[in-house]
């Protein structure tokens, strides 16, 4: 795709970024990157939470522990990240700085690790190792920072739009 096609896809006629298409793309790359990091953390045994834990309610655990299950889990994490990025972009895109994204990631960690055991996605926190808890907490903190700070930079950085407006007047 040409850079002009990307510009058309990302920006509306007013020169502003389309929040929906931006957030879907942001979520895709957040899931791609941080899903891969989660897989590496699991492979290095920093966490016992399998990469496919989001797919746990829908597939057999034995399948999810296989290589195909890892890929399916990565796909689920990408879709989850896309949904989370859309939610963040719609609700919090105008909040500047890294802190809103950090808090957002921590909130998602809390939701997943409280609701996850009830859905059979993972063990309760008191049955997980400290390495797992800290690794997963840090992963979601950084994942939220990635989504939040990227959205904040895109939607609160007006410097890139000012020269175009100055020339138009």
């Amino acid at each position: 795709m040409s850079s002009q096609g990307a510009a058309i896809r990302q920006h509306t006629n007013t020169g502003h970024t389309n929040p929906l298409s931006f957030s879907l793309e942001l979520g895709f790359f957040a899931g791609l990157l941080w899903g891969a990091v989660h897989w590496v953390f699991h492979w290095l045994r920093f966490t016992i939470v399998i990469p496919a834990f989001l797919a746990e309610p829908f597939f057999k655990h034995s399948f999810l522990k296989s290589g195909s299950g890892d890929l399916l889990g990565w796909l689920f994490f990408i879709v989850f990240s896309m949904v989370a990025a859309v939610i963040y972009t719609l609700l919090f895109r105008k909040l500047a700085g890294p802190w809103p994204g950090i808090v957002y990631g921590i909130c998602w960690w809390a939701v997943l690790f409280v609701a996850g055991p009830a859905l059979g996605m993972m063990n309760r926190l008191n049955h997980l190792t400290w390495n797992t808890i800290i690794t997963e907490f840090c992963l979601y903190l950084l994942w939220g920072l990635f989504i939040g700070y990227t959205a904040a930079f895109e939607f609160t950085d007006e410097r890139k739009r000012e020269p175009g407006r100055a020339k138009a007047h």
Side-chain angles (χ1 to χ4, degrees):
M1 177 180 277
S2 70
S3 61
Q4 185 179 15
I8 291 169
R9 188 183 70 234
Q10 287 292 325
H11 297 281
T12 63
N13 291 338
T14 61
H16 294 284
T17 302
N18 180 329
L20 183 60
S21 65
F22 176 82
S23 61
L24 289 172
E25 189 172 345
L26 170 60
F28 174 79
F29 286 107
L32 192 68
L33 173 67
W34 295 104
V37 170
H38 187 261
W39 181 83
V40 169
F41 284 170
H42 184 263
W43 182 71
L44 293 173
R45 298 190 187 350
F46 291 154
T47 179
I48 59 173
V49 175
I50 62 172
F53 77 97
L54 290 171
E56 190 79 46
F58 309 105
F59 294 90
K60 292 186 179 206
H61 186 74
S62 58
F63 168 71
L64 296 177
K65 291 177 74 174
S66 69
S68 298
D70 286 345
L71 290 175
L72 179 72
W74 199 0
L75 179 64
F76 266 68
F77 193 76
I78 290 170
V79 171
F80 164 70
S81 296
M82 291 170 74
V83 170
V86 168
I87 293 169
Y88 188 92
T89 302
L90 292 177
L91 298 177
F92 308 118
R93 71 178 176 250
K94 295 292 183 177
L95 299 177
W99 290 107
I102 290 171
V103 171
Y104 190 69
I106 292 170
C107 289
W108 272 112
W109 174 85
V111 165
L112 289 172
F113 281 79
V114 168
L119 297 172
M121 297 163 83
M122 65 192 74
N123 292 330
R124 292 190 324 253
L125 278 176
N126 62 344
H127 288 90
L128 295 174
T129 65
W130 277 107
N131 283 346
T132 295
I133 294 168
I134 292 168
T135 299
E136 296 288 336
F137 181 84
C138 291
L139 178 79
Y140 280 93
L141 183 147
L142 291 171
W143 170 84
L145 174 65
F146 181 86
I147 291 173
Y149 202 55
T150 303
F153 186 79
E154 181 66 27
F155 292 104
T156 62
D157 184 24
E158 292 295 323
R159 290 175 294 171
K160 66 181 175 187
R161 293 181 183 91
E162 286 180 12
R165 287 185 185 161
K167 291 177 186 175
H169 288 106

